[in-house]
């Protein structure tokens, strides 16, 4: 117990004797701010990649490959305000698109058209997260947060045992691999799994860059730098919005953010 206390005190004395905020400490702190900037993009990216775009049912007899979200026939072919049903056709008519060929009863639809005026593609349009599957969309964010919890526990312990550097490398690997695999996921369930890895790497990188930064800084500047490093998180969030202005396909946006 005595040796542990002495070694801790000796470290602080040695650290202070080297300088509280010298050139090398500033260099490490600057890189740590970058380590705060990058995960912020991943945290906010789901606002855009999972954007809940408007959608409607594909109307039999009326819609074809050239149809868009807004069509005149939707006024009488689809119940008002209903995104999951269409009016049933009379006597299985298959070659007319007129108001009088639809009945007053509704039927569920299995295909949808999406409003692509804002985003050309999101996870909602890619995986049809509509109607009965709409609850899956916010699940993506929940899986990311579960990953952040796992990362806080596992990567934090890993860094304490084997060092900050190895912990940061593992975090970068998880964040990078998980982010890219999200972009190429063939189905939504793989995407959810990759969100866990991405979240773990994101939180691991946030924690370890913060700890690494303040450990290298003397006690005089430690509190100030511990607060200032948080400021780099906001520009990371804002940069995701800037990228989303120019990249309107969720897969490419995911790659760019990663």
């Amino acid at each position: 117990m005595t040796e542990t206390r002495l070694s801790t005190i000796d470290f602080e004395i040695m650290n202070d004797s080297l300088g509280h905020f010298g050139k090398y400490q500033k260099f490490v702190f600057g890189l740590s701010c970058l380590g705060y900037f990058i995960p912020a993009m991943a945290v906010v990216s789901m606002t855009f990649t999972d954007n809940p775009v408007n959608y409607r049912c594909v109307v039999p007899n009326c819609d074809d490959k050239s149809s868009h979200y807004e069509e005149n026939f939707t006024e009488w072919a689809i119940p008002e305000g209903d995104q999951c049903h269409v009016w049933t056709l009379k006597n299985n008519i298959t070659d007319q698109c007129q108001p009088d060929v639809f009945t007053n009863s509704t039927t569920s639809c299995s295909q949808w058209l999406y409003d692509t005026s804002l985003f050309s593609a999101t996870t909602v349009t890619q995986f049809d997260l509509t109607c009965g599957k709409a609850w899956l969309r916010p699940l993506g964010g929940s899986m990311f947060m579960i990953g952040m919890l796992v990362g806080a526990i596992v990567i934090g312990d890993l860094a304490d045992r084997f060092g900050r550097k190895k912990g940061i490398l593992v975090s970068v690997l998880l964040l990078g691999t998980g982010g890219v695999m999200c972009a190429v996921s063939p189905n939504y369930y793989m995407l959810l799994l990759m969100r866990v890895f991405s979240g773990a790497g994101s939180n691991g990188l946030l924690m370890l860059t913060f700890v690494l930064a303040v450990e290298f800084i003397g006690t005089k500047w430690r509190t100030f730098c511990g607060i200032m490093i948080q400021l780099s998180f906001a520009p990371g969030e804002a940069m995701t919005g800037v990228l989303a202005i120019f990249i309107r396909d969720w897969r490419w946006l995911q790659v760019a953010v990663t």
Side-chain angles (χ1 to χ4, degrees):
M1 180 66 72
T2 304
E3 292 180 358
T4 303
R5 287 179 177 175
L6 285 175
S7 64
T8 303
I9 295 172
D10 290 343
F11 172 78
E12 291 296 346
I13 294 174
M14 179 189 67
N15 201 28
D16 289 342
S17 67
L18 293 174
H20 291 276
F21 200 36
K23 290 182 179 180
Y24 183 67
Q25 292 160 314
K26 292 176 181 177
F27 176 71
V28 172
F29 178 75
L31 291 180
S32 299
C33 288
L34 180 62
Y36 243 74
F37 178 89
I38 295 173
M41 300 175 69
V43 172
V44 180
S45 64
M46 289 171 288
T47 303
F48 305 99
T49 60
D50 300 353
N51 187 269
V53 299
N54 293 321
Y55 59 89
R56 66 169 176 84
C57 291
V58 170
V59 181
N61 288 21
C62 298
D63 280 310
D64 54 32
K65 293 182 179 180
S66 62
S67 295
H68 300 284
Y69 171 74
E70 293 183 355
E71 298 284 356
N72 293 332
F73 55 76
T74 58
E75 297 179 4
W76 40 262
I78 298 177
E80 184 177 359
D82 193 336
Q83 296 176 295
C84 303
H85 297 86
V86 293
W87 296 118
T88 307
L89 291 169
K90 291 181 179 178
N91 301 322
N92 296 321
I93 298 174
T94 59
D95 58 351
Q96 298 181 39
C97 181
Q98 301 294 332
D100 56 1
V101 301
F102 292 90
T103 68
N104 292 327
S105 62
T106 61
T107 182
S108 300
C109 54
S110 58
Q111 291 181 299
W112 295 266
L113 275 175
Y114 300 94
D115 182 3
T116 57
S117 60
L118 185 59
F119 291 101
S120 60
T122 68
T123 56
V124 174
T125 66
Q126 185 75 50
F127 303 112
D128 287 331
L129 305 182
T130 58
C131 299
K133 295 170 61 178
W135 64 275
L136 288 171
R137 187 189 66 81
L139 184 60
S142 299
M143 297 301 289
F144 187 88
M145 293 302 167
I146 289 174
M148 294 189 75
L149 174 62
V150 173
I153 298 172
V154 176
I155 299 178
D157 182 67
L158 174 69
D160 286 338
R161 292 175 182 272
F162 302 104
R164 311 291 183 228
K165 180 179 178 180
K166 291 182 179 179
I168 288 176
L169 290 175
V170 170
S171 299
V172 171
L173 181 64
L174 287 172
L175 179 58
T177 303
V180 173
M181 292 304 294
C182 280
V184 299
S185 296
N187 57 69
Y188 193 64
Y189 300 103
M190 179 178 175
L191 175 67
L192 292 177
L193 178 61
M194 291 302 104
R195 284 273 171 85
V196 176
F197 289 103
S198 183
S202 177
N203 201 31
L205 191 57
L206 284 171
M207 290 191 309
L208 298 186
T209 51
F210 175 84
V211 173
L212 184 65
V214 296
E215 281 180 339
F216 267 84
I217 296 170
T219 54
K220 181 179 179 180
W221 288 90
R222 189 170 295 168
T223 301
F224 174 79
C225 291
I227 295 172
M228 293 304 294
I229 193 175
Q230 310 289 336
L231 298 181
S232 58
F233 193 86
E237 293 178 305
M239 179 57 68
T240 308
V242 173
L243 290 174
I245 293 174
F246 301 100
I247 306 174
R248 300 305 180 96
D249 185 292
W250 78 273
R251 290 189 186 274
W252 288 110
L253 179 59
Q254 180 70 49
V255 171
V257 168
T258 303

